[in-house]
Amino acid sequence: VGGGLNSQAGYTLSVDEPVIVDDLRTEERFDGPPLLHDHNVVSGLSVIIRGEDGRRFGVLGAHTAVRRAFRPHDVHFLQSVAHVLASAVARNYYRERQTMLVRELTHRMKNNMAVIHSLARQSGRDATSVEDYIRSFEGRLSAIETAHQLLTDSDGTGASINRLVELVAGSQVADGRVDRSIEDVQLDPSGAQTMSLVLYELMTNAVKYGAFSTGHGRVAIDGR
């Protein structure tokens, strides 16, 4: 049946409590849907199917073609059945959500493994020794971990670019040697991962060949 105010189900949702109908033919609160009239319904009652978190999954109704005065114990019985239905709906909802989360986790894991393979190959091309390879690979991996940690702290909603710069830069040099002036924005997971690697490469170049290679230089990072 429809959820509009002209139906008993819709009216039940609107008042947010059980509704008892003594005689649908003389009912003034709502007209009643064609389904009930087509089945010559006279009396009935309806309750909300409500989850433990207060979410309303729908309405459960019981109707009869013979006039009947429903009592509170009838409402309680129907409400008990509604609770059972709500538990079943909730279990199904969380099962579907769990399946979706597993799929998302699998997708992200594949992406992460692809990134790690890429980091390993890139570090191998740049390395001059095994020690240099390990140091380069671990540095890049640490930058990725920093981005993931920021995303985890925000429940995956985004990572502050200002905080990301602070952490990645601070992992290679004392923070006092980096001047930051950045308009902060929130990076999505892909953007945070990419930016962490870009920052790491820039900082590495500065350590090897630029301002930090002299032992007393400074770097200014401006972001707009």
Side-chain angles (χ1 to χ4, degrees):
V1 297
L5 292 179
N6 64 322
S7 74
Q8 184 173 344
Y11 182 79
T12 304
L13 288 173
S14 71
V15 297
D16 200 26
E17 61 184 22
V19 172
I20 295 177
V21 176
D22 291 326
D23 192 334
L24 187 62
R25 296 165 297 187
T26 59
E27 178 62 54
E28 296 181 351
R29 293 171 295 179
F30 45 83
D31 297 330
L35 178 67
L36 299 186
H37 289 293
D38 291 346
H39 286 78
N40 300 316
V41 165
V42 175
S43 302
L45 59 88
S46 53
V47 298
I48 294 175
I49 304 172
R50 193 190 310 274
E52 292 183 0
D53 58 358
R55 188 179 343 183
R56 299 181 299 180
F57 295 122
V59 173
L60 175 64
H63 308 279
T64 173
V66 178
R67 184 165 184 172
R68 174 176 173 177
F70 288 102
R71 302 302 179 189
H73 70 270
D74 297 312
V75 175
H76 294 156
F77 175 79
L78 193 65
Q79 191 69 73
S80 297
V81 178
H83 289 329
V84 175
L85 286 174
S87 297
V89 172
R91 281 198 305 272
N92 185 63
Y93 168 79
Y94 288 117
R95 185 164 52 245
E96 291 179 350
R97 180 167 175 78
Q98 183 180 39
T99 300
M100 180 187 69
L101 290 174
V102 169
R103 289 175 179 170
E104 176 66 17
L105 181 62
T106 301
H107 176 70
R108 291 193 179 188
M109 184 63 68
K110 289 181 178 179
N111 286 345
N112 289 340
M113 292 305 296
V115 170
I116 291 174
H117 281 296
S118 177
L119 297 183
R121 288 193 298 269
Q122 185 177 357
S123 300
R125 288 196 299 267
D126 300 339
T128 57
S129 65
V130 174
E131 291 77 13
D132 186 37
Y133 169 78
I134 293 175
R135 182 168 54 252
S136 176
F137 178 72
E138 288 184 341
R140 290 182 169 111
L141 193 60
S142 177
I144 292 291
E145 289 174 344
T146 298
H148 278 281
Q149 186 59 54
L150 289 178
L151 291 168
T152 299
D153 293 343
S154 66
D155 293 329
T157 57
S160 161
I161 189 172
N162 216 335
R163 182 62 174 153
L164 187 63
V165 171
E166 177 186 356
L167 294 176
V168 174
S171 69
Q172 293 180 276
V173 296
D175 190 54
R177 299 177 63 189
V178 179
D179 299 320
R180 301 191 317 275
S181 178
I182 302 172
E183 290 184 6
D184 204 17
V185 295
Q186 292 295 110
L187 300 169
D188 63 16
S190 177
Q193 181 173 280
T194 301
M195 185 59 70
S196 67
L197 288 174
V198 170
L199 290 168
Y200 174 79
E201 299 300 332
L202 291 173
M203 291 298 297
T204 299
N205 286 340
V207 169
K208 288 184 176 180
Y209 315 112
F212 297 137
S213 63
T214 64
H216 59 268
R218 301 177 66 83
V219 163
I221 303 178
D222 295 325
R224 297 290 181 271

